[in-house]
């Protein structure tokens, strides 16, 4: 390769991609002279004279191969590295998609939690009703157990006898079983308390607990023991 300029002309000899020899010449030798010295017709010149057999050295700046030969000079500076730009753009796109997926997942979780909270609030009144019903059932079970603790008196027969033995113008207001005393408390209204206590002796010992005046009648409270 011939590089003119200054007081001397540089003549560089390459072997492949490596610099093999370097010569300085006081004048710009012709193509024929250099071909005879270096034994090759393939000689490049940075400013080849018009009509000479020199090859234009500017062609070596191309990145594309020249026939079977390749550019041995470094690429010119100032070119944009498209591969790096594409890599950065793809990385940013991937990060954007990743953050978008994380945000969408977080939104789905928050929405699901809000739905669960709303359903819990909707069910809470039903839970309170169920608890109230369970309390009522428990109270009924307790009452049933209380009745079962007695010696299973025939209450229907007892009511039938009370109805038949009550004096005229007498009626019952309340019958209460006392599990602790194993007794039956009878309360009601009558016009003649003496006649009432006499007739109820058929049930056994009858105790007069109290009397009072209500509705122009005698309100009585009697107690008799269970058999």
């Amino acid at each position: 390769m011939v590089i003119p300029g200054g007081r001397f002309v540089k003549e560089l000899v390459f072997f492949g991609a490596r610099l093999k020899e370097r010569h300085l010449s006081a004048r710009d030798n012709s193509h024929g002279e250099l071909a005879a010295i270096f034994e090759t017709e393939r000689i490049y010149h940075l400013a080849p004279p018009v009509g000479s057999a020199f090859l234009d050295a500017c062609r070596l700046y191309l990145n594309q191969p020249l026939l079977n030969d390749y550019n041995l000079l470094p690429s010119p500076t100032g070119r944009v590295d498209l591969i790096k730009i594409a890599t950065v753009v793809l990385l940013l796109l991937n990060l954007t998609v990743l953050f978008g997926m994380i945000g969408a997942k977080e939104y789905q979780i928050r929405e699901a939690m809000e739905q669960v909270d709303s359903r819990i609030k909707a069910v809470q009144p039903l839970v309170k009703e169920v608890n109230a019903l369970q309390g009522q059932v428990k109270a009924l079970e307790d009452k049933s157990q209380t009745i079962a603790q007695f010696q299973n008196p025939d209450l229907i027969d007892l009511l039938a006898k009370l109805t038949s033995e009550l004096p005229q113008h007498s009626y019952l207001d309340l019958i209460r079983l006392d599990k602790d005393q194993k007794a039956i408390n009878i309360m009601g209204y009558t016009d003649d308390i003496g006649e009432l206590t006499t007739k109820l002796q058929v049930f056994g010992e009858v105790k007069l607990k109290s009397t009072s005046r209500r509705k122009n009648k005698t309100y009585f409270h009697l107690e008799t023991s269970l058999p």
Side-chain angles (χ1 to χ4, degrees), residues 2-3 16 41 47 81 84 95 100 106 118 125 138-139 176 222:
V2 180
I3 304 176
E41 296 290 331
D81 194 339
K84 289 184 179 179
L95 291 176
E106 182 180 358
S118 63
K138 183 65 169 57
R176 185 174 62 209
L222 302 175

Side-chain angles (χ1 to χ4, degrees), residues 35-47:
I37 296 173
F38 299 113
E39 299 180 350
T40 180
E41 296 290 331
R42 194 180 188 84
I43 302 174
Y44 289 89
H45 198 295
L46 284 182

Side-chain angles (χ1 to χ4, degrees), residues 94-174:
N94 289 334
L95 291 176
T96 303
V97 173
L98 177 61
F99 288 131
M101 293 176 62
I102 293 174
K105 192 66 176 179
E106 182 180 358
Y107 173 77
Q108 292 176 356
I109 294 174
R110 184 168 60 253
E111 186 177 11
M113 292 179 64
E114 291 177 354
Q115 291 179 358
V116 171
D117 290 339
S118 63
R119 291 179 181 177
I120 291 175
K121 291 179 181 178
V123 172
Q124 282 179 346
L126 298 177
V127 174
K128 292 181 180 179
E129 292 181 5
V130 171
N131 291 335
L133 291 175
Q134 288 178 344
Q136 295 177 6
V137 170
K138 183 65 169 57
L140 292 175
E141 290 177 350
D142 293 341
K143 290 181 180 179
S144 299
Q145 292 177 358
T146 300
I147 295 174
Q149 289 177 357
F150 289 98
Q151 297 179 357
N152 297 323
D154 191 346
L155 296 180
I156 297 178
D157 184 56
L158 177 63
L159 291 174
K161 287 182 179 180
L162 279 173
T163 303
S164 63
E165 295 296 335
L166 282 176
Q168 191 176 7
H169 305 299
S170 299
Y171 58 91
L172 300 178
D173 179 47
L174 178 66

Side-chain angles (χ1 to χ4, degrees), residues 1 3 44 46 56-64 66 70-77 79:
M1 177 185 293
I3 304 176
Y44 289 89
L46 284 182
D56 191 354
C58 293
R59 298 170 62 189
L60 297 176
Y61 283 100
L62 299 176
N63 286 327
Q64 298 296 327
L66 182 61
Y70 293 89
N71 183 10
L72 302 179
L73 297 178
S75 299
T77 59
R79 286 195 173 185

Side-chain angles (χ1 to χ4, degrees), residues 80-90:
V80 178
D81 194 339
L82 297 179
I83 296 178
K84 289 184 179 179
I85 294 176
T87 302
V88 172
V89 171
L90 290 176

